Amino acid sequence: MNIEVNNADRKVVIIGGGPAGLTAAYELTKYDFSPTVLEKLDKVGGIARTEDYKGYHFDMGGHRFFTKSVEVNAFWHEILGNDFLHRPRLSRIYYKNKYFNYPLKPWNALLGMGFFEGAAIVASYCRWHLFPYKEEDTFEQWVTNRFGKRLFETFFRSYTEKVWGIRCEELKAEWAAQRIKDLSLKTAVTSMFLKPRHTIKTLIESFDYPRQGPGMLWTAVKEQVQARGGTVQLNSSVVGINREGNRIVSVVVEHDGRTETIPGDEFISSMPITLFLQRLDPPPPPHILEAASQLKYRDFLTVGLILDKVDTFPDNWIYIHDPSVKVGRIQNYKNWSPDMLPDQAHTSLGLEYFCNEGDAIWTMSDADLIELGKRELAQIGLAQSEDVIDGCVFRVEKSYPVYDGDYASHLEILKQYVAEFTNFQTIGRNGLHRYNNQDHAMLTGMMAVRNIVYHEKNNLWIVNGEQEYHEADVIGRKPTGQQERPSPWPQVLNPVTPYIDDALMGISLGLVTALFTYFLTMFLL
Ligand SMILES: Cc1cc2nc3c(=O)[nH]c(=O)nc-3n(C[C@H](O)[C@H](O)[C@H](O)COP(=O)(O)OP(=O)(O)OC[C@H]3O[C@@H](n4cnc5c(N)ncnc54)[C@H](O)[C@@H]3O)c2cc1C
């Protein structure tokens, strides 16, 4: 392989100290580069950062660590060693004053929904399998075709619309395909009765987690980069990017009220691609800026509440589907790791509100948000307002790249434009406007480094394009890149239960139906 001989002399500038940028920096130091990472916040980790308030650690989002990438897994263990814990998972859905286990448990679901509602869901499921939507463009169509309209309305619509702030009819099906592919009612029901050979990741019951949250990992990576000669400059916002034709020559950084121009030979950016293009000097052609202005983001904030209670609820997190409250999800950090709290006599919760930068929730004062959090916590019945002894608020901007309307065609235009640059690569979640988890963001950083070091031509846009890699997918299968469509039984079943045939599926459903019939009869009698 053709490795550059004098890497120490080649200056690589990396925009963003999140998982993608820091991974790229760490990898570069293995080849004697001394990269400079420019991070606008006062800490590393990006969206996966861990905030601290009086010794309580608040994970922005609740980051489970799971990956199919051997390199990424090795990276996590290499950095954290024994501080990388394996944790049990419990998560439930709160809807209409009831809790539903997630993954679905038969008795819990049957008793929770009631037999009539359960029967209606099964009937709706059959109807939509017999006569599905012909088109599967929107989230609503995609989910309805797989789960039936009734289940979609019950369990999918309210939470999805809280997260995205747009109607499910406007949200592209790609998001569902990325997040919940392979998880159908059939697979969920099958998993109640039969142990699959391959596990669906959404159904996994444990995960890895750094002892003090993901920020612990990213702080350790930052320290390693610095120890190996790299620089990680915090509070340094890139406000301009200077180019000469299709070469980037330097970036303009705002730091402590001063601006500084930092030149480089190679540039890697994990900042939002839209902002990157808008800050180019000279600016790109108007149609590029127009396409960039069409890409949208969703933001969220966490209201951190500290309770004078040892135990509040046993879950790691609860999805709040109930539309009567604004909160979307509640994290219980103690259950992620006891070391997220300075003392075990208390509980720290993170109430997540999905919003848009500048809207009523985003601009609400911290004090009002804490009051809102206390009120909603009491309304759900998880704790009394008086239990809350302290609170804090953390806002996370551009946390979700939105897949709406024509986003893909706009992104395609930007993709082609940035491909013309000879010494620039855009990486990570917002750099690629892709719903990437940490592992995929990291992989793009690793591949960008290989492109520099080995002059490889890795296409970063296709990382995680293979649907197989994502959260709800099947562990251990080779990527096929096939787009999932409503399919006959065996094709859907095979990935989940390779040794189980239609007959066994029939037995599973037969059991469920028998139970329904039995309880319905008992009820009527
Ligand atoms: C609610 C939620 C839950 C999640 N849960 C999981 C999970 O369970 N597991 C998982 O693996 N992933 C999860 N993720 C995804 C994970 O957070 C992201 O994949 C990951 O943080 C992306 O890393 P990144 O480096 O690409 O981008 P980012 O984390 O966005 O990092 C980009 C960095 O660039 C900096 N930056 C931006 N503009 C500039 C500028 N102009 N100058 C300098 N710096 C700049 C930002 O401050 C940021 O630090 C979750 C995300 C959310 C929102």
Side-chain angles (χ1 to χ4, degrees), residues 15-21 38-41 43-49 60-66 76 236-239 270-272 275 279 300 329 336 352 354 396 398-400 427-431 436-439 441:
I15 307 173
L38 302 166
E39 169 52 54
K40 72 171 183 175
L41 299 181
K43 56 177 68 63
V44 288
I47 305 172
R49 67 183 176 273
M60 297 297 96
H63 284 77
R64 276 182 300 148
F65 284 66
F66 55 83
W76 290 340
S236 300
S237 183
V238 171
V239 292
S270 62
M271 69 188 280
L275 296 184
R279 290 176 191 179
F300 87 101
R329 207 164 51 169
W336 287 77
E352 294 171 353
F354 305 101
V396 184
K398 298 195 172 36
S399 38
Y400 295 94
I427 61 169
R429 179 155 159 133
N430 286 336
N436 283 331
N437 267 342
Q438 285 176 107
D439 57 338

Side-chain angles (χ1 to χ4, degrees), residues 186 189-190 193-194 500 503-513:
K186 276 177 284 193
V189 168
T190 312
F193 297 100
L194 302 162
I500 291 166
L504 277 173
M505 185 65 210
I507 293 171
S508 311
L509 280 182
L511 266 171
V512 175
T513 315

